[in-house]
Amino acid sequence: MKIEVWSDFACPFCYIGKRRLEEALEKFPHRDQVEVVFKSFELDPHASRDIDLSIHEIIAKKYGMPVEQAKQMNDGIAQQAAAVGLDFQFETLIRTNTFDAHRLAKFAEAKGKDAEVTERLLKAYFTDSKHLGDHETLTDLAVEAGLDRNEVEAVLQGSDYEAAVRGEEAQAQQIGVQGVPFFVLNNKYAISGAQPSEVFAGALQKVWEEENEKPALQSLSPTNDQGAVCTEDGCEVPDFNKQ
């Protein structure tokens, strides 16, 4: 089974949804036969690299609400994160453009380190208050996850994996992704949002059963007529003169 996950490193529910999916996968008996692949999606592709406003001020400005109300909203999200073992630090979070972080993740995928880098970048953004638009910071995080420093620096300084990121974002548009996280199972089933782990568990079981069940054979023989057959008891020759 293949699960494709469109997400952004600046999306709190993408991190929460990731944990809830992982909780469901831990209890899924066929976990070793499930591949999870993360796809690029930018919530704000026009975001600047350096932003002076706090996340509370950005939310308040975006939705036309008081900063205190935005803070309460983020506090509620932090509580949901804590319920799945995540420590969100909205007070010190550094808002930035995530395009280079996505390029780094695609490079990590090519090196077989996408799971490690994706987790490290999400934790860096929401818990460690790291600047994911800063190349030096991204390089240090990638090295922590097991990538080569010189190779990472070369990728970030150039334009490698730009097409890969843009291609996945275009694919998201083609399949109708309106927001993230967005999960696609076996190119056939979709789950939108950070659903409870029970929803993921039910989806995993449903997809597994439907994709692996053997189709029942439909008989094309005339009704009540088995024709000439042999069994362990012998062969039965039908009476062809019988009307």
Side-chain angles (χ1 to χ4, degrees):
M1 185 190 306
K2 184 176 183 179
I3 303 177
E4 296 170 296
V5 187
W6 271 267
S7 65
D8 190 11
F9 298 109
C11 166
F13 286 110
C14 290
Y15 202 4
I16 294 172
K18 180 177 183 290
R19 276 293 183 275
R20 290 175 177 172
L21 172 62
E22 290 168 348
E23 286 181 352
L25 285 171
E26 287 179 2
K27 302 174 183 178
F28 188 55
H30 310 288
R31 172 65 184 92
D32 59 341
Q33 298 182 59
V34 178
E35 177 188 11
V36 179
V37 179
F38 286 89
K39 300 287 188 177
S40 303
F41 190 100
E42 293 173 272
L43 287 173
D44 186 1
H46 304 296
S48 300
R49 176 187 178 276
D50 298 299
I51 302 174
D52 294 331
L53 298 177
S54 71
I55 187 61
H56 304 314
E57 293 170 326
I58 292 172
I59 295 296
K61 182 178 180 181
K62 181 177 181 180
Y63 295 106
M65 63 175 63
V67 173
E68 185 58 33
Q69 184 178 349
K71 184 179 183 302
Q72 292 175 0
M73 180 186 298
N74 287 329
D75 287 343
I77 296 175
Q79 291 176 10
Q80 292 190 50
V84 290
L86 299 175
D87 179 19
F88 280 12
Q89 296 295 322
F90 282 115
E91 293 298 328
T92 52
L93 182 149
I94 301 175
R95 188 78 173 86
T96 187
N97 185 290
T98 59
F99 183 66
D100 282 339
H102 283 293
R103 289 202 300 124
L104 174 59
K106 291 299 99 183
F107 169 67
E109 182 179 349
K111 293 294 184 176
K113 289 287 185 178
D114 49 325
E116 293 86 348
V117 168
T118 295
E119 175 65 26
R120 188 64 191 96
L121 291 178
L122 285 166
K123 181 177 183 295
Y125 186 79
F126 286 105
T127 300
D128 301 333
S129 302
K130 299 292 186 179
H131 192 323
L132 292 195
D134 178 71
H135 285 186
E136 184 176 348
T137 298
L138 287 175
T139 300
D140 289 342
L141 294 171
V143 171
E144 286 181 28
L147 293 176
D148 179 80
R149 179 176 295 276
N150 292 331
E151 291 182 343
V152 172
E153 289 177 344
V155 168
L156 293 175
Q157 290 171 7
S159 60
D160 293 357
Y161 299 96
E162 285 187 3
V165 173
R166 295 304 185 210
E168 291 181 354
E169 292 176 338
Q171 185 183 1
Q173 288 186 329
Q174 291 171 359
I175 63 176
V177 179
Q178 300 296 319
V180 288
F182 191 86
F183 306 81
V184 176
L185 292 73
N186 280 3
N187 293 313
K188 184 177 179 181
Y189 307 88
I191 297 176
S192 179
Q195 299 290 341
S197 59
E198 294 80 9
V199 172
F200 288 113
L204 290 169
Q205 190 60 37
K206 175 182 174 60
V207 173
W208 181 266
E209 291 176 355
E210 291 189 3
E211 295 291 296
N212 291 278
E213 67 180 4
K214 295 181 179 179
L217 296 178
Q218 181 177 353
S219 176
L220 297 179
S221 301
T223 304
N224 298 324
D225 186 355
Q226 295 296 320
V229 297
C230 291
T231 67
E232 61 182 10
D233 297 324
C235 297
E236 179 180 349
V237 180
D239 184 358
F240 292 106
N241 294 320
K242 184 178 180 181
Q243 298 296 322

